[in-house]
Amino acid sequence: MSEKNRRELVSWRIGKLPDTDQLNEWVNAQSNVQNSITSLVRHMIEQFGYRDVTQHDIQKSLFQKPIADELRSILSGLKNAPISVAEVGEAPTANNESEPDTDIQTEGETINLKPQKEANDDIYGMIDKTNL
């Protein structure tokens, strides 16, 4: 880094930004604002390098990451949930044959697994509508 680009002080004016109240609340929650902002900048450098964080691909990544992390957390929780399988009777099929229905019981939730005839038949068949 050349000497003329080396900064000693960077100011941040938040008084005229549209979300001033939120920014002030965040700043007030920090024990040391300089350390907090430095930590955020180091994290951004580690994630994206020395790039402008307002670039489209970085903004897209920043806004999608929390959603992806939440989905991973939910899926991880389902993998770790205790599962018991119980026969609950027979369900008629298109050929008037009988196939057993299987329920998977997790903590406070029952998921019914029915064999699908075609994958394209009902794309929402595995969604538990009680959680919507």
Side-chain angles (χ1 to χ4, degrees), residues 3 22-23 33 37 39 42 51 60 73 80 86 92 95 103 108 113 117 121 123-124 132:
E3 205 49 48
Q22 286 180 313
L23 295 172
V33 177
I37 293 173
S39 177
R42 286 183 176 144
R51 296 182 54 208
K60 185 176 177 183
S73 174
N80 297 328
N95 299 333
D103 282 351
L113 298 177
K117 293 298 176 195
D121 209 18
I123 62 171
Y124 302 107
L132 295 177

Side-chain angles (χ1 to χ4, degrees), residues 99-116:
E99 292 181 8
D101 262 357
T102 305
D103 282 351
I104 297 177
Q105 297 178 352
T106 62
E107 295 177 329
E109 179 178 3
T110 300
I111 301 171
N112 189 340
L113 298 177
K114 293 181 182 177
Q116 297 279 327

Side-chain angles (χ1 to χ4, degrees), residues 8-66:
E8 292 288 326
L9 175 68
V10 175
S11 63
W12 181 32
R13 294 183 193 266
I14 60 177
K16 294 184 180 179
L17 296 174
D19 48 357
T20 298
D21 292 338
Q22 286 180 313
L23 295 172
N24 273 309
E25 189 174 335
W26 181 86
V27 168
N28 292 336
Q30 309 309 305
S31 59
N32 184 315
V33 177
Q34 179 177 336
N35 289 344
S36 297
I37 293 173
T38 301
S39 177
L40 290 172
V41 170
R42 286 183 176 144
H43 177 73
M44 294 300 289
I45 291 169
E46 184 177 312
Q47 291 293 313
F48 303 108
Y50 298 95
R51 296 182 54 208
D52 183 347
V53 297
T54 63
Q55 290 180 346
H56 178 72
D57 62 321
I58 295 176
Q59 289 293 302
K60 185 176 177 183
S61 175
L62 289 172
F63 283 99
Q64 288 179 345
K65 185 171 177 12

Side-chain angles (χ1 to χ4, degrees), residues 63-104:
F63 283 99
Q64 288 179 345
K65 185 171 177 12
I67 295 168
D69 288 347
E70 185 174 341
L71 288 174
R72 276 190 208 97
S73 174
I74 290 169
L75 292 175
S76 172
L78 288 175
K79 287 179 184 177
N80 297 328
I83 297 175
S84 64
V85 177
E87 296 284 333
V88 293
E90 296 182 1
T93 63
N95 299 333
N96 289 333
E97 298 173 5
S98 295
E99 292 181 8
D101 262 357
T102 305
D103 282 351
I104 297 177

